[in-house]
Amino acid sequence: MTDSAPPPAPGPDPGQGEGLGVFDKALLDRCISCGFCLPACPTYALTRQEPSSPRGRITLMRALESGDLAPDDPTLAEESSFCLGCRACEPVCPAGVEYGQLLEQWRDHQWQGRGRPLIARLLMAVVSRSWLLRLQGLVRRHARDRRSARERRPASGDRKQPVSLMLGCVERGLYPSVSRAVRELRPEVAVPAGQGCCGALHAHNGDSAAGAGMARALGERLPGTIVTTSGGCAAHLAHHLGRDRVRELSEYLERTGHRPRGRVTVGGRPARVALQDSCHLRNGLGVTRPPRELVAAVADYVELPGADGCCGAAGTYAMLRPDDSRAVLDPKLEALRKLDVDYVVAVNPGCLRQLRQGLRRTRSRAKAVHLAELLAMAARSEPGTGPGAEPDPGTGTEPAAG
């Protein structure tokens, strides 16, 4: 009889060691697995499967961190992709779990090299090149300004510093009328040249370090208060530059005492207008009231059931997982049909694109517009301001002035 091999040296129980270092342990440990997040999660609503909920995904993160699941486990790959990253779980969490930060750390680990979806890699490569973004402006005619932000007179509510309008990557190419509408509303806002990407796309697609660097670089190029027409960009920039430096458009208008002018009408009656929240603006920055009050000032505001839920755009999500994105959007389109609205307002360009495509697909009579476009449309209705062309809901552009 031969001697048996010696028993292995005792080690830490699964999940009790130092871990792989993928996640911030303090953030990971904050979850108490109470389940309050489940009703708020769009993907859990689709599947009713625990792994597709925030609590379930944090359980997967813990298993990855402890080594109980191999990094190449297919469930890890699927759920890190299936999550919308909408952060709807954060406001309802009694323990204050910063799920958005955990998701970024997860994708930083999971989406390396070929693990990152090809579409995401291509988009990240494009927005990393400022000259490509500037080229869009030459073709699409977004707002531009020859004077610097420091040469412009600040608005009444921000006399101590200049104000810069950030041009979003998607918006400047697809919806240049949005930045032009902002300048119509508030001519004092400067549009500095040479702007790059804010880095939100990188942060949400597995390269949060690059995303943070891009946010800081943009902050150096844009002096004073940064105004953005994208809720997602606002949340990302505020995280890295500080909340006091960054204002989403509706916040800025409220802060500076903007009083909307005119009314938006359809067939001689006040237009019925709903609003779709930006997930990161609502869940990341807690901004919900200002855009609703601005809409109500120029139209007949109608609250959209589920406006606080994701529309399915979620940055690159609609391109990476189109079927899941559509499944999230469809109940919202049905709700809009029942409301019989004339317009639905978005405060994020990704949401605007998602809504326009969905409304066109379902042949809805409703039009999706950005908040800036709606307010500018109302202002143009006042006597003496001249006729204004409505934004084209199919292309996201305005007819050129004659």
Side-chain angles (χ1 to χ4, degrees), residues 140-141 177 180 389-390 392 397-402:
R140 301 291 288 151
R141 299 190 309 111
S177 59
R180 297 202 301 268
E390 294 186 11
D392 177 357
T397 63
E398 289 184 343

Side-chain angles (χ1 to χ4, degrees), residues 39-60:
C41 179
T43 53
Y44 179 75
L46 290 177
T47 67
R48 295 296 173 183
Q49 298 295 314
E50 177 74 13
S52 299
S53 72
R55 179 177 68 179
R57 291 186 175 112
I58 289 177
T59 298
L60 291 173

